[in-house]
Amino acid sequence: MGRVRRALTGPSAIAVLVAAVAGVGFGLYWFQPWKLWQDETVQEALPGAVSVPAPPASAPAPAPSDEPSGQSAPAAGPHTWASGELISHEHATSGTVKLVRLADGSHVVRLENLDTSNGPDLRVWLTDAPVRRGRAGWHVFDDGKHVSLGRLKGNKGSQNYALPADVDPSDYRSVSIWCDRFDVSFGAAELARA
């Protein structure tokens, strides 16, 4: 009995216990499994979008327009430049991605009705990679040209990500919800010009 007690309290047993606790701690930090059960919902309005109130019923007739054939000037608000539907990769993912040109000439990537899993170190990437279905599409987005637009604000909802001023949106063709820690796409959308 004395030998067993010495073996369990000896330096090698303590070293094994410390190593096991450190390994579990590192595993929890690295994988963050609790995030699979935590949802973060973000609901952002599109920047520069202005809601126009309905005119009153007895509104006066509009003044004649200087535009040819009575057409009014185009609205100076946001314009969808390209869009696409998210498909699932590593995790079930759905929603719409829009590349929007704002009135000031800047661009944002807008995720609408996003629904994906939460995870460690999720980013929104604008890429030049094609979107492939299934496992073939999980790892392609870091092979070519890509721009990280920042951390994913929430795994559910609608949110905006500004493009840096020096990024030409015509150089890119897809958006990925990218897990930077494990180099894998949770979901992605091919952008088609509007």
Side-chain angles (χ1 to χ4, degrees):
M1 190 65 132
R3 250 190 250 173
V4 172
R5 183 174 289 146
R6 275 191 303 247
L8 292 176
T9 59
S12 60
I14 292 172
V16 168
L17 181 61
V18 168
V21 169
V24 168
F26 178 76
L28 287 172
Y29 164 76
W30 191 253
F31 289 98
Q32 300 176 1
W34 58 87
K35 286 195 170 190
L36 291 174
W37 294 278
Q38 292 177 334
D39 287 330
E40 294 178 44
T41 302
V42 174
Q43 292 295 345
E44 292 181 332
L46 179 62
V50 179
S51 60
V52 179
S58 60
S65 173
D66 291 334
E67 297 293 322
S69 10
Q71 296 174 352
S72 61
H79 169 72
T80 300
W81 192 75
S83 64
E85 294 296 317
L86 286 162
I87 65 166
S88 299
H89 281 146
E90 172 71 21
H91 292 265
T93 302
S94 63
T96 303
V97 176
K98 293 181 178 179
L99 182 55
V100 179
R101 185 174 194 273
L102 302 178
D104 66 2
S106 65
H107 291 85
V108 296
V109 166
R110 178 159 175 82
L111 306 178
E112 291 185 342
N113 303 314
L114 174 66
D115 188 2
T116 191
S117 299
N118 207 340
D121 207 13
L122 293 180
R123 309 286 175 152
V124 176
W125 277 16
L126 184 63
T127 81
D128 68 348
V131 175
R132 297 184 185 136
R133 295 196 173 275
R135 289 184 66 95
W138 288 17
H139 303 282
V140 300
F141 299 101
D142 60 350
D143 294 344
K145 189 173 178 181
H146 61 274
V147 175
S148 177
L149 303 179
R151 288 189 178 276
L152 185 68
K153 297 173 185 176
N155 63 309
K156 295 188 180 297
S158 297
Q159 48 213 268
N160 307 302
Y161 298 87
L163 268 66
D166 62 343
V167 171
D168 181 357
S170 64
D171 291 343
Y172 300 91
R173 58 193 271 193
S174 61
V175 171
S176 172
I177 308 301
W178 184 258
C179 180
D180 216 18
R181 177 148 313 152
F182 296 105
D183 293 329
V184 66
S185 173
F186 273 34
E190 189 88 29
L191 295 173
R193 289 293 298 265

